[in-house]
Coordinates of all heavy atoms in Angstrom, one line a residue:
T264 N -166.7 -51.9 67.1 CA -166.4 -53.0 68.0 C -164.9 -53.3 67.9 O -164.2 -53.5 69.0 CB -167.2 -54.3 67.7 OG1 -168.5 -53.9 67.5 CG2 -167.1 -55.3 68.8
L265 N -164.3 -53.2 66.7 CA -162.9 -53.5 66.5 C -162.1 -52.5 67.3 O -161.2 -52.8 68.0 CB -162.6 -53.4 65.0 CG -161.3 -53.9 64.5 CD1 -160.2 -52.8 64.6 CD2 -160.8 -55.2 65.1
K266 N -162.5 -51.2 67.2 CA -161.7 -50.2 67.9 C -161.9 -50.3 69.4 O -160.9 -50.2 70.1 CB -162.2 -48.8 67.5 CG -161.9 -48.3 66.1 CD -162.4 -46.9 65.9 CE -162.1 -46.4 64.5 NZ -162.9 -45.2 64.2
Y267 N -163.1 -50.7 69.8 CA -163.3 -50.9 71.3 C -162.3 -52.0 71.7 O -161.7 -51.9 72.8 CB -164.7 -51.3 71.5 CG -165.1 -51.9 72.8 CD1 -165.1 -51.2 74.0 CD2 -165.4 -53.3 72.9 CE1 -165.3 -51.8 75.2 CE2 -165.6 -53.9 74.1 CZ -165.6 -53.1 75.3 OH -165.9 -53.7 76.5
L268 N -162.2 -53.1 71.0 CA -161.4 -54.2 71.4 C -159.9 -53.9 71.4 O -159.1 -54.5 72.1 CB -161.7 -55.5 70.6 CG -163.1 -56.1 70.8 CD1 -163.4 -57.2 69.8 CD2 -163.3 -56.6 72.2
C269 N -159.5 -53.0 70.5 CA -158.1 -52.6 70.4 C -157.8 -51.6 71.5 O -156.6 -51.3 71.8 CB -157.8 -51.9 69.1 SG -157.9 -53.0 67.7
T270 N -158.8 -51.0 72.1 CA -158.5 -49.9 73.1 C -159.1 -50.3 74.5 O -159.4 -49.4 75.3 CB -159.0 -48.6 72.7 OG1 -160.4 -48.7 72.5 CG2 -158.4 -48.1 71.4
L271 N -159.2 -51.6 74.8 CA -159.8 -52.1 76.0 C -158.9 -51.5 77.2 O -157.7 -51.5 77.1 CB -159.8 -53.6 76.1 CG -160.8 -54.3 75.2 CD1 -160.6 -55.8 75.2 CD2 -162.2 -54.0 75.7
K272 N -159.7 -51.2 78.3 CA -159.0 -50.9 79.5 C -158.4 -52.1 80.2 O -158.7 -53.2 79.8 CB -160.0 -50.3 80.5 CG -160.5 -48.9 80.1 CD -161.3 -48.4 81.2 CE -162.1 -47.2 80.8 NZ -163.3 -46.9 81.6
K273 N -157.5 -51.9 81.1 CA -156.8 -53.0 81.8 C -157.8 -54.0 82.4 O -157.5 -55.2 82.5 CB -155.9 -52.4 82.9 CG -154.9 -53.2 83.5 CD -154.0 -52.5 84.5 CE -153.0 -53.5 85.1 NZ -152.1 -52.9 86.0
N274 N -158.9 -53.5 82.9 CA -159.9 -54.4 83.5 C -161.0 -54.8 82.5 O -162.1 -55.3 82.9 CB -160.5 -53.7 84.7 CG -161.3 -52.4 84.4 OD1 -161.2 -52.0 83.3 ND2 -162.0 -51.9 85.4
G275 N -160.7 -54.6 81.2 CA -161.7 -54.9 80.2 C -161.8 -56.4 79.9 O -161.0 -57.2 80.5
P276 N -162.8 -56.8 79.1 CA -163.0 -58.2 78.9 C -161.8 -58.9 78.1 O -161.1 -58.3 77.4 CB -164.3 -58.3 78.0 CG -164.3 -56.9 77.4 CD -163.7 -55.9 78.4
T277 N -161.6 -60.2 78.4 CA -160.6 -60.9 77.7 C -161.1 -62.4 77.5 O -161.9 -62.9 78.4 CB -159.3 -60.9 78.3 OG1 -158.3 -61.5 77.5 CG2 -159.2 -61.5 79.7
G278 N -160.8 -63.0 76.4 CA -161.2 -64.4 76.2 C -162.7 -64.4 75.8 O -163.3 -65.5 75.8
K279 N -163.2 -63.3 75.3 CA -164.7 -63.2 75.0 C -164.9 -63.2 73.5 O -164.0 -62.9 72.7 CB -165.3 -62.0 75.7 CG -165.0 -61.9 77.2 CD -165.7 -62.9 78.0 CE -165.6 -62.6 79.5 NZ -165.6 -63.8 80.3
F280 N -166.2 -63.5 73.2 CA -166.6 -63.5 71.8 C -167.6 -62.3 71.6 O -168.5 -62.2 72.3 CB -167.4 -64.8 71.6 CG -167.9 -65.0 70.2 CD1 -167.1 -65.7 69.2 CD2 -169.1 -64.6 69.8 CE1 -167.6 -65.9 67.9 CE2 -169.7 -64.8 68.6 CZ -168.9 -65.5 67.6
F281 N -167.3 -61.5 70.6 CA -168.1 -60.3 70.3 C -168.8 -60.5 68.9 O -168.1 -60.9 68.0 CB -167.3 -59.0 70.3 CG -166.9 -58.7 71.7 CD1 -165.8 -59.3 72.4 CD2 -167.6 -57.7 72.4 CE1 -165.5 -58.9 73.7 CE2 -167.3 -57.4 73.7 CZ -166.2 -58.0 74.3
W282 N -170.0 -60.1 68.8 CA -170.8 -60.1 67.6 C -171.3 -58.7 67.4 O -172.1 -58.2 68.3 CB -171.8 -61.1 67.7 CG -172.6 -61.3 66.4 CD1 -172.2 -62.0 65.3 CD2 -174.0 -60.9 66.2 NE1 -173.2 -62.0 64.3 CE2 -174.3 -61.3 64.9 CE3 -174.9 -60.2 66.9 CZ2 -175.5 -61.1 64.3 CZ3 -176.1 -60.0 66.3 CH2 -176.4 -60.4 65.0
F283 N -170.9 -58.0 66.4 CA -171.1 -56.5 66.3 C -170.7 -55.9 67.6 O -169.6 -56.1 68.1 CB -172.6 -56.2 65.9 CG -172.9 -56.6 64.5 CD1 -173.8 -57.6 64.3 CD2 -172.3 -56.0 63.5 CE1 -174.1 -58.0 62.9 CE2 -172.6 -56.3 62.2 CZ -173.4 -57.3 61.9
M284 N -171.6 -55.2 68.3 CA -171.2 -54.5 69.6 C -171.5 -55.3 70.8 O -171.3 -54.9 71.9 CB -171.9 -53.1 69.6 CG -171.1 -52.0 70.3 SD -169.4 -51.8 69.7 CE -168.7 -50.9 71.1
R285 N -172.0 -56.5 70.6 CA -172.5 -57.3 71.7 C -171.5 -58.4 72.1 O -170.9 -59.0 71.2 CB -173.8 -58.0 71.4 CG -174.9 -57.1 71.2 CD -176.3 -57.8 71.5 NE -177.3 -56.9 71.1 CZ -178.0 -57.0 70.0 NH1 -177.8 -58.0 69.2 NH2 -179.0 -56.1 69.8
Q286 N -171.3 -58.6 73.4 CA -170.6 -59.8 73.8 C -171.5 -60.9 73.9 O -172.6 -60.8 74.5 CB -170.0 -59.5 75.2 CG -169.0 -60.5 75.7 CD -168.5 -60.2 77.0 OE1 -168.0 -59.1 77.3 NE2 -168.6 -61.2 77.9
V287 N -171.2 -62.0 73.3 CA -172.1 -63.2 73.3 C -171.4 -64.3 74.0 O -170.3 -64.6 73.8 CB -172.4 -63.6 71.8 CG1 -173.4 -64.8 71.8 CG2 -173.0 -62.5 71.0
K288 N -172.2 -64.9 75.0 CA -171.6 -65.9 75.8 C -171.6 -67.2 75.0 O -172.7 -67.8 74.9 CB -172.3 -66.0 77.1 CG -171.6 -66.7 78.2 CD -172.2 -66.5 79.5 CE -171.3 -67.2 80.6 NZ -171.7 -67.0 81.9
I289 N -170.5 -67.7 74.5 CA -170.5 -69.0 73.8 C -169.8 -70.1 74.6 O -169.9 -71.2 74.2 CB -169.9 -68.8 72.4 CG1 -168.5 -68.3 72.5 CG2 -170.8 -67.9 71.5 CD1 -167.7 -68.5 71.2
I290 N -169.0 -69.7 75.5 CA -168.3 -70.7 76.3 C -168.7 -70.4 77.8 O -168.6 -69.3 78.3 CB -166.8 -70.5 76.2 CG1 -166.3 -70.6 74.7 CG2 -166.0 -71.5 77.0 CD1 -164.9 -70.4 74.4
P291 N -169.2 -71.4 78.4 CA -169.7 -71.2 79.8 C -168.5 -70.9 80.7 O -167.4 -71.3 80.5 CB -170.3 -72.5 80.2 CG -169.8 -73.5 79.3 CD -169.4 -72.8 78.0
S292 N -168.8 -70.1 81.8 CA -167.7 -69.8 82.8 C -167.7 -70.9 83.7 O -168.6 -71.2 84.5 CB -168.1 -68.5 83.6 OG -168.3 -67.5 82.7
I293 N -166.5 -71.6 83.6 CA -166.4 -72.7 84.6 C -165.2 -72.3 85.5 O -164.1 -72.2 85.1 CB -166.0 -74.0 83.8 CG1 -167.1 -74.3 82.8 CG2 -165.8 -75.2 84.8 CD1 -166.8 -75.5 81.9
N294 N -165.6 -72.1 86.8 CA -164.6 -71.5 87.7 C -163.8 -72.6 88.3 O -163.9 -72.9 89.5 CB -165.3 -70.6 88.7 CG -165.8 -69.4 88.1 OD1 -165.1 -68.8 87.2 ND2 -167.0 -69.0 88.4
L295 N -162.9 -73.2 87.5 CA -162.0 -74.2 88.1 C -160.7 -73.5 88.5 O -160.4 -72.4 87.9 CB -161.7 -75.3 87.1 CG -162.8 -76.1 86.6 CD1 -162.4 -77.1 85.6 CD2 -163.4 -76.9 87.8

Side-chain angles (χ1 to χ4, degrees):
T264 314
L265 188 281
K266 287 183 185 171
Y267 165 72
L268 293 175
C269 290
T270 58
L271 285 172
K272 291 185 188 157
K273 198 174 176 181
N274 62 355
T277 186
K279 307 291 189 212
F280 180 92
F281 288 80
W282 184 75
F283 290 113
M284 210 52 197
R285 294 206 186 103
Q286 187 181 310
V287 181
K288 198 165 181 176
I289 58 163
I290 302 176
S292 304
I293 302 171
N294 289 319
L295 294 177

